């Protein structure tokens, strides 16, 4: 099954490098050429855009940078983004753990279909993700008339933004945990249960410690994605200033108001978030790679 | 395994309660988002792309006046984007109290699809519900290196034109109709020749942004193209924002009478209980104070006497034609040119 | 279990059902006429064609990057390794604005390229760049763990038996990597096809030239053509589903052939 696959990018990259034995590596020249290609390629495609954001953000000095971030609409956008992430990430966390548990520890028919369905939001265009909620909750949509009668506003309000965010980040936690839990099998939990632990207790004391690092990685990336989603949110937001603009939408608005410095300044918040995410991820890997490797050996 | 299964069963109760809790939070949020804001009234103005700066000033002036008159605080919230996309959000249920869009057909669409706006909305406010008008002028690079003077120069093979997609942008539609109307009058009222002219023009377009603002950024910030046919206000705003030493505004001898109308969204205003303040907001747009603000932002006020002469001096008196006089009513204009399979679709199909 | 299904149903299946329902409102004939509309066809071709190319580039360079990161030690290796995940964490709109300002004719890279007559931003090449950006981590991260798992003793044996290094690489090292490379390719491809946020900033968005399918959905929505938007979305959805299925098939095939993953 595609366990390692759909979430491959989320796998902790534990990378032990053995000292090269001469017969199993390339000539020195080839080696450096390949390293050079890799670094130039990454610099050109990944680091340069990041640097652009940071350089542009500070191009008019610290004062302009600070002013852009403390402006009321920017603060409102930040608050909304944090709110959305604070709902969407725990939701997906709970779902991810439960779904991974169900899939990894039990046998049932249609398992592969279930996994593919959990994967689906991963390959659906963000625009389509937004569109489907418009088609369900919009006034022209399936539930539209009912929602109007009951005076409930879903799209163009916080609930719609939360829903779209949940959708695009849906697979992150589940897909990270499924292979981890499958690898660990059910032996330890069964042992705990035989010794008289309750199911809940077994989960807390046996399953959770085994998956905690994987869980942590996935929550980090899920959070970064939740805060940064643009396409899906832009379809359901309605772009009301100070009310339904998230940070990525606010970046676009400022950009469209010729406010390039402010736009890149706000964008640098998200870039900073991306960097912090990656740093934490790397530190954890470095710190706990022995832990993880030991865990892997045990099974 | 069976022990494990029953253990999972045992914990299902708490899971279900957590789900319920989540749902409750969710509904609470939904309610919070829709509940009537009683202490501080807020109305929502859904507007088109280039009016961002304009309505910042207008909204503040209105709030101030409302406070002086009634003692109540009111916040006017704004949402901006391509005119068509904005109309779509109103149709899909954004609780807009008033709409101020770029072209009459977008408000017609809201009226037709939702019934939240009366079908004869245009007759409800003075001057066909147009508190200000505008036209299309050309923004060129400093010194006008390509010597662009009139619409004819836009179809020259050495000129690259930046204009937004007429399917999504009202400004794009006015550019399209302006070129069409110009050629129609010039070629002895031949629709066929006018269609050819527009087809040639769109062959000179390298980038088709979704909104007027996107086109301005492509032209001014990214340095693409030789000429930007634009809303008059948008062209002057670019001068103000990017510096007068970078661009010139070229005013063609003939251009189109562009009509960005406003309307009350009756259905929403009644539901939100904001009819009174929303109507006052629309009336305010016709006040001397608002008219002066329009002129300051380079829109053409309908009460010229209210505006400062300096601002008016930038808005030269040129010959403006009304597209309704050439093509008939707005239903016809919209369906013949921009709807699925309309003239624009045929042109882009034939061009490739 | 019930919880999983319920949430899955509410969050994923119900909205997708609404989409299909809306699209089928026009009937199969309606969907067919949308699919065969030349502009829609061209947008789908651009989305899928460019994404295919981008996935090729991502996979080629991604494999080199994965190889370098897992086999060689050099200063800053950890840093480079962490940087690979950047497109995962960086919001697409931010990436789009940054790429556009880099590759515009007056940007840092764009000005160099335009001197030798290459235009990137606002052409189909711009779409390609954005898609490579977002697809790269998938290509690297699918191949990397497999390179780490490769048994070096087999390579040693091959070398001891007198095979040249190139021979060893092409005959011993590459074959077991192929399924992972294909999977990385399919993932980068699927992601590129749906991408919207970063592309609209850097593509010219011209019908028949640089208009991608997700943009056409947005345009259809602005025209109040819900059925048309839903039809294009359904077509893309079916293809996404097929791509995921293909990934699973590659996995199954590789498990049979190589006994792992």
């Amino acid at each position: 099954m595609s366990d390692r696959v759909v979430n491959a990018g989320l796998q902790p990259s534990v990378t032990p490098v053995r000292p090269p034995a001469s017969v199993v590596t390339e000539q020195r020249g080839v080696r450096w050429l390949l390293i050079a290609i890799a670094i130039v390629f990454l610099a050109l495609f990944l680091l340069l855009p990041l640097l652009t954001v940071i350089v542009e953000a500070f191009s008019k000095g610290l004062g302009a940078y600070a002013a852009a971030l403390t402006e009321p609409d920017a603060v409102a956008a930040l608050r909304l983004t944090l709110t959305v992430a604070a709902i969407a990430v725990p939701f997906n966390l709970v779902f991810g753990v439960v779904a991974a548990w169900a899939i990894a520890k039990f046998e049932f028919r249609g398992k592969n279909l279930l996994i593919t369905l959990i994967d689906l939001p991963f390959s659906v265009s963000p625009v389509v993700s937004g569109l489907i909620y418009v088609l369900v909750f919009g006034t022209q949509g399936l539930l539209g008339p009912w929602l109007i009668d009951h005076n409930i506003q879903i799209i163009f309000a916080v609930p719609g933004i939360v829903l779209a965010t949940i959708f695009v980040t849906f697979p992150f936690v589940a897909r990270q945990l499924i292979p981890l839990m499958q690898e660990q099998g059910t032996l330890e939990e069964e042992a705990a249960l035989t010794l008289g632990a309750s199911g809940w207790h077994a989960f807390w004391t046996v399953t959770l410690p085994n998956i905690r690092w994987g869980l942590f990685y996935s929550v980090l990336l899920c959070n970064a994605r939740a805060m940064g989603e643009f396409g899906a949110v832009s379809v359901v937001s309605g772009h009301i200033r100070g009310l339904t603009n998230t940070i990525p939408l606010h970046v676009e608005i400022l950009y469209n108001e010729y406010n390039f410095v402010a736009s890149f300044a706000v964008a640098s918040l998200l870039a900073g978030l991306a960097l912090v995410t990656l740093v934490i991820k790397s530190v954890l890997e470095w710190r706990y790679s022995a832990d993880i490797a030991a865990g892997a050996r045990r099974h | 395994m069976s022990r494990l299964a029953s253990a999972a069963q045992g914990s299902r109760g708490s899971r279900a309660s957590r789900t319920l809790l989540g749902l409750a939070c969710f509904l609470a949020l939904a309610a919070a988002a829709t509940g009537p804001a009683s202490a501080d009234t807020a109305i929502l103005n859904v507007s088109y792309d280039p009016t961002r700066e304009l309505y910042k000033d207008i909204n503040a002036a209105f709030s101030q006046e409302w406070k002086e008159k009634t003692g109540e605080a009111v916040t006017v919230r704004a949402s901006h984007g391509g005119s068509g996309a904005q109309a779509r959000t109103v149709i899909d249920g954004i609780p807009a109290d008033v709409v101020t869009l770029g072209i009459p057909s977008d408000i017609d669409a809201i009226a037709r699809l939702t019934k939240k706006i009366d079908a004869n909305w245009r007759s409800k406010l003075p001057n066909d519900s147009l508190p200000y008008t505008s036209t299309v002028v050309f923004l060129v690079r400093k010194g006008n290196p390509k010597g662009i003077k009139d619409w004819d120069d836009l179809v020259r093979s050495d000129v690259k034109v930046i204009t937004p997609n007429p399917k999504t942008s009202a400004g794009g539609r006015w550019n399209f109709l302006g070129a069409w109307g110009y050629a129609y009058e010039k070629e002895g009222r031949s629709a066929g020749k006018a269609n050819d002219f527009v087809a040639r023009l769109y062959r000179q377009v390298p980038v088709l942004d979704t909104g007027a603002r996107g086109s301005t950024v492509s032209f001014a910030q990214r340095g693409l193209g030789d000429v930007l046919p634009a809303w008059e206000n948008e062209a002057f705003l670019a001068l103000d924002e990017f510096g007068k030493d970078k661009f010139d505004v070229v005013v063609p001898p003939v251009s189109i009478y562009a009509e960005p109308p406003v309307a009350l969204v009756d259905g929403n205003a009644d539901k939100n209980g904001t009819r009174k303040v929303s109507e006052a907001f629309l009336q305010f747009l016709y006040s001397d104070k608002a008219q002066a603000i329009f002129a300051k932002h380079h829109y053409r006020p309908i009460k010229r006497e209210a505006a400062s002469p300096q601002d008016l001096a930038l808005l030269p008196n040129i010959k403006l034609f009304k597209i309704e006089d050439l093509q008939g009513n707005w239903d016809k204009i919209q369906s013949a040119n921009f709807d699925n399979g309309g003239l624009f679709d045929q042109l882009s199909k034939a061009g490739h | 279990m019930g919880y999983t299904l319920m949430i899955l149903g509410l969050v994923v299946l119900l909205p997708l059902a609404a989409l299909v329902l809306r699209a089928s409102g026009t009937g199969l004939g309606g969907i067919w006429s949308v699919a065969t509309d030349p502009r829609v066809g061209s947008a789908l071709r651009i989305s899928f064609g460019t994404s295919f190319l981008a996935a090729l580039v991502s996979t080629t360079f991604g494999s080199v990057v994965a190889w370098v990161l897992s086999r060689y030690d050099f200063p800053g290796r950890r840093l480079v390794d962490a940087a690979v995940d950047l497109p995962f964490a960086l919001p697409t709109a931010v990436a789009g604005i940054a790429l556009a300002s880099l590759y515009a004719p007056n940007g840092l890279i764009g000005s160099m390229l335009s001197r030798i007559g290459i235009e990137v931003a606002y052409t189909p090449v711009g779409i390609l760049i954005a898609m490579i950006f977002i697809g790269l981590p998938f290509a690297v991260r699918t191949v990397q763990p497999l390179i780490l798992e490769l048994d070096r003793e087999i390579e040693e044996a091959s070398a001891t038996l007198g095979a040249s290094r190139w021979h060893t690489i092409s005959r011993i090292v590459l074959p077991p990597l192929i399924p992972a490379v294909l999977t990385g390719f399919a993932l980068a491809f699927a992601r590129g096809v749906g991408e919207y946020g970063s592309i609209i900033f850097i593509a010219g968005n011209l019908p028949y030239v640089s208009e991608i399918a997700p943009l056409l959905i947005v345009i259809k929505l602005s025209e109040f053509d819900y059925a048309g938007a839903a039809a294009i979305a359904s077509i893309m959805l079916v293809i996404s589903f097929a791509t995921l299925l293909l990934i699973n098939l590659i996995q199954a095939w590789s498990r049979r052939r190589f006994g792992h993953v």
Side-chain angles (χ1 to χ4, degrees):
Chain A
M1 196 48 224
S2 58
D3 299 342
R4 131 154 322 130
V5 168
V6 169
N7 252 9
L10 312 179
Q11 294 287 342
S13 47
V14 186
T15 50
V17 172
R18 273 210 268 160
S22 63
V23 287
V24 290
T25 189
E26 289 71 43
Q27 288 167 358
R28 212 184 158 77
V30 178
R31 215 155 68 212
W32 284 110
L33 181 72
L34 287 178
I35 292 178
I37 290 177
I39 290 182
V40 167
F41 183 79
L42 290 178
L44 213 62
F45 277 91
L46 302 185
L47 293 183
L48 217 50
L50 185 68
L51 278 180
T52 313
V53 173
I54 293 164
V55 169
E56 296 265 353
F58 288 101
S59 63
K60 293 229 173 105
L62 264 179
Y65 182 81
L69 296 189
T70 49
E71 189 250 347
D73 283 345
V75 173
L78 183 63
R79 199 180 304 127
L80 177 61
T81 297
L82 292 176
T83 311
V84 168
I87 302 172
V89 174
F91 184 94
N92 279 337
L93 173 72
V94 172
F95 170 80
V97 171
V98 173
W101 172 281
I103 286 169
K105 313 267 167 172
F106 302 99
E107 283 307 320
F108 53 91
R109 254 188 297 168
K111 198 186 225 181
N112 289 349
L113 182 70
L114 189 65
I115 296 178
T116 311
L117 284 175
I118 293 177
D119 283 344
L120 201 57
F122 219 72
S123 67
V124 169
S125 172
V127 171
V128 177
S129 320
L131 170 68
I132 55 180
Y133 287 104
V134 171
L135 292 181
V136 175
F137 298 113
T139 45
Q140 310 286 306
L142 278 184
L143 302 180
W146 186 86
L147 290 171
I148 294 170
D149 289 345
H150 292 77
N151 215 4
I152 299 171
Q153 183 86 25
I154 302 273
I155 54 168
F156 310 123
V158 178
I161 299 173
V162 170
L163 275 177
T165 307
I166 288 179
F167 185 88
V168 291
T169 53
F170 196 64
F172 274 63
V173 177
R175 291 307 267 125
Q176 171 81 357
L177 294 186
I178 291 169
L180 263 177
M181 285 194 175
Q182 275 177 338
E183 209 172 290
Q184 276 153 4
T186 51
L187 275 178
E188 287 184 29
E189 280 91 351
E190 281 179 46
L193 292 173
T194 318
L195 295 173
S198 73
W200 201 225
H201 193 70
F203 174 80
W204 275 110
T205 51
V206 179
T207 314
L208 201 59
N210 275 337
I211 58 168
R212 66 193 152 165
W213 299 121
L215 194 63
F216 197 75
Y217 292 131
S218 60
V219 167
L220 268 179
L221 281 166
C222 178
N223 182 53
R225 186 71 206 278
M227 290 191 175
E229 178 53 29
F230 174 77
V233 170
S234 119
V235 177
V236 297
S237 133
H239 307 97
I240 307 171
R241 286 191 89 106
L243 205 63
T244 64
N245 274 329
T246 61
I247 294 256
L249 298 179
H250 193 60
V251 168
E252 192 211 11
I253 285 180
L254 288 170
Y255 185 77
N256 275 337
E257 286 172 4
Y258 310 128
N259 221 332
F260 302 113
V261 172
S263 162
F264 279 107
V266 177
S268 76
L269 281 185
L270 292 168
L273 173 75
L275 281 182
V276 168
T277 304
L278 296 185
V279 167
I280 297 180
K281 177 174 177 288
S282 300
V283 167
L284 279 177
E285 268 165 33
W286 174 72
R287 179 91 174 64
Y288 295 102
S289 54
D291 213 20
I292 294 168
R297 260 201 307 282
R298 216 158 14 141
H299 295 284
Chain B
M1 201 61 190
S2 61
R3 267 305 282 284
L4 193 60
S6 63
Q9 290 257 327
S11 66
R12 180 169 296 157
S14 61
R15 260 178 232 150
S17 64
R18 209 163 0 150
T19 312
L20 279 178
L21 191 72
L23 271 175
C25 288
F26 198 75
L27 287 175
L29 260 169
T34 48
S38 49
D40 187 8
T41 320
I43 61 170
L44 174 61
N45 171 18
V46 168
S47 192
Y48 60 115
D49 218 7
T51 54
R52 301 157 189 268
E53 294 76 12
L54 170 72
Y55 277 109
K56 253 183 218 166
D57 286 2
I58 292 272
N59 295 347
F62 173 72
S63 296
Q64 194 194 345
E65 191 178 280
W66 188 252
K67 179 108 197 170
E68 282 163 13
K69 263 193 187 158
T70 65
E72 291 168 29
V74 61
T75 314
V76 185
R77 297 196 184 280
S79 162
H80 297 273
S83 190
Q86 292 293 86
R88 199 269 300 167
T89 62
V90 178
I91 291 167
D92 278 331
I94 201 171
D97 301 286
V98 297
V99 285
T100 54
L101 295 178
I103 198 159
S105 49
D106 281 335
I107 299 185
D108 284 338
I110 300 172
R112 191 176 64 243
L113 291 169
T114 68
K115 317 277 181 234
K116 281 181 185 169
I117 296 177
D118 203 73
N120 59 356
W121 59 272
R122 282 208 85 173
S123 59
K124 300 220 164 155
L125 287 162
N127 194 35
D128 288 337
S129 294
L130 299 169
Y132 61 88
T133 66
S134 189
T135 186
V136 174
V137 299
F138 306 147
L139 191 68
V140 298
R141 312 232 168 256
K142 190 72 197 172
N144 197 359
K146 296 269 167 129
I148 289 153
K149 301 226 156 42
D150 204 349
W151 292 90
D152 276 329
D153 295 311
L154 303 190
V155 299
R156 271 166 34 199
S157 56
D158 64 324
V159 170
K160 289 259 171 277
V161 183
I162 305 295
T163 180
N165 191 333
K167 291 265 195 179
T168 48
S169 153
R173 270 174 271 175
W174 289 116
N175 290 349
F176 183 101
L177 296 171
W180 192 92
Y182 163 83
Y184 182 75
E185 293 285 4
K186 192 183 167 222
E187 302 286 352
R189 308 209 140 214
S190 154
K193 284 191 176 155
N195 292 354
D196 287 347
F197 182 84
V198 176
R200 279 166 63 204
L201 193 154
Y202 278 86
R203 254 173 256 151
Q204 303 304 117
V205 177
V207 179
L208 212 53
D209 287 287
T210 46
R213 197 41 74 81
S215 285
T216 316
V217 171
S218 294
F219 179 80
Q221 171 81 355
R222 303 270 161 254
L224 295 170
D226 303 304
V227 56
L228 177 83
W231 290 102
E232 192 169 40
N233 48 283
E234 186 73 359
F236 281 106
L237 180 70
L239 287 192
D240 294 344
E241 292 283 340
F242 292 95
K244 292 188 169 49
D245 53 331
K246 292 216 178 78
F247 307 105
D248 283 329
V249 170
V250 172
V251 182
V254 180
S255 194
I256 190 162
Y257 178 74
E259 306 163 66
V262 301
L264 179 73
V265 188
D266 298 276
N268 290 342
D270 285 341
K271 200 170 139 195
N272 302 341
T274 52
R275 173 177 277 275
K276 202 169 129 235
V277 60
S278 304
E279 277 175 346
F281 177 77
L282 291 176
Q283 286 301 334
F284 175 76
L285 300 179
Y286 292 88
S287 71
D288 286 0
K289 202 189 264 170
Q291 291 287 317
I293 296 176
F294 289 138
K296 191 178 128 229
H297 287 274
H298 315 296
Y299 296 82
R300 296 183 172 229
I302 57 170
K303 282 190 198 159
R304 290 175 67 88
E305 63 281 5
S308 97
Q310 261 162 287
D311 293 333
L312 288 178
L314 286 171
L315 309 170
N317 235 333
I318 57 170
K319 201 182 149 209
L320 297 176
F321 59 84
K322 254 182 129 164
I323 192 68
E324 283 169 280
D325 296 340
L326 310 184
Q327 292 199 349
N329 67 31
W330 274 103
D331 283 345
K332 251 190 221 159
I333 297 170
Q334 176 67 25
S335 64
N337 296 292
F338 308 119
D339 278 355
N340 220 344
L343 183 57
F344 180 74
D345 279 347
Q346 294 162 28
L347 297 183
S348 36
K349 199 180 287 187
H352 293 276
Chain C
M1 195 61 230
Y3 173 82
T4 310
L5 284 178
M6 187 184 86
I7 298 294
L8 183 76
L10 276 180
V11 176
V12 179
L13 296 185
L14 179 78
L16 288 179
L19 173 77
V20 174
L21 200 71
R22 191 64 187 237
S24 63
T26 59
L28 266 183
I31 295 182
W32 182 246
S33 76
V34 169
T36 51
D37 176 80
R39 184 151 168 227
V40 175
S42 140
L44 288 171
R45 255 197 314 282
I46 290 164
S47 273
F48 285 98
T50 316
S51 188
F52 190 85
L53 269 181
L56 266 183
V57 176
S58 294
T59 316
T60 312
F61 284 92
S63 304
V64 172
V65 171
W67 180 262
V68 166
L69 286 179
S70 35
R71 279 297 171 95
Y72 306 150
D73 208 357
F74 55 93
R77 190 177 63 92
R78 278 207 168 273
L79 200 72
V80 175
D81 192 47
V84 169
D85 282 335
L86 191 66
F88 269 134
L90 195 68
T92 52
V94 175
I97 292 175
L99 288 173
S101 54
L102 273 177
Y103 286 92
N106 58 7
L108 189 64
I109 301 181
S111 60
M112 284 190 264
L113 290 176
S114 72
R115 225 171 291 151
I116 51 172
I118 302 174
E119 279 183 39
V120 173
Y122 314 106
T123 68
V125 187
I127 305 178
L128 188 71
I129 301 266
M131 283 178 174
I132 293 173
F133 179 84
I134 54 161
L136 188 68
F138 293 94
V140 178
R141 294 290 189 234
T142 36
V143 182
Q144 204 174 5
L146 263 122
I147 297 180
L148 287 170
E149 269 175 33
L150 284 180
D151 194 348
R152 286 202 163 186
E153 278 162 23
I154 300 177
E155 288 173 58
E156 274 170 37
S158 163
T160 319
L161 293 173
S164 73
R165 183 64 188 155
W166 173 244
H167 198 80
T168 306
I169 297 249
S170 59
R171 292 293 174 80
I172 306 290
V173 177
L174 281 185
L177 293 183
I178 284 175
V181 171
L182 284 179
T183 309
F185 178 88
L187 280 171
F189 174 73
R191 199 80 181 83
V193 167
E195 180 54 18
Y196 173 74
S198 59
I199 294 177
I200 48 160
F201 287 101
I202 196 175
N205 306 326
L206 282 182
Y208 300 96
V209 179
S210 49
E211 186 175 67
I212 55 168
L215 174 64
L216 201 54
I217 294 178
V218 172
I219 290 178
K220 290 268 177 214
L221 274 181
S222 302
E223 292 171 14
F224 324 119
D225 181 3
Y226 293 85
I232 303 175
S234 306
I235 296 169
M236 293 186 71
L237 195 67
V238 168
I239 299 176
S240 303
F241 201 78
T243 314
L244 281 181
L245 207 65
L246 184 74
I247 294 172
N248 289 347
L249 287 178
I250 294 174
Q251 291 300 310
W253 171 73
S254 93
R255 203 168 37 232
R256 271 202 307 279
R257 178 116 196 262
F258 301 101
H260 61 77
V261 172

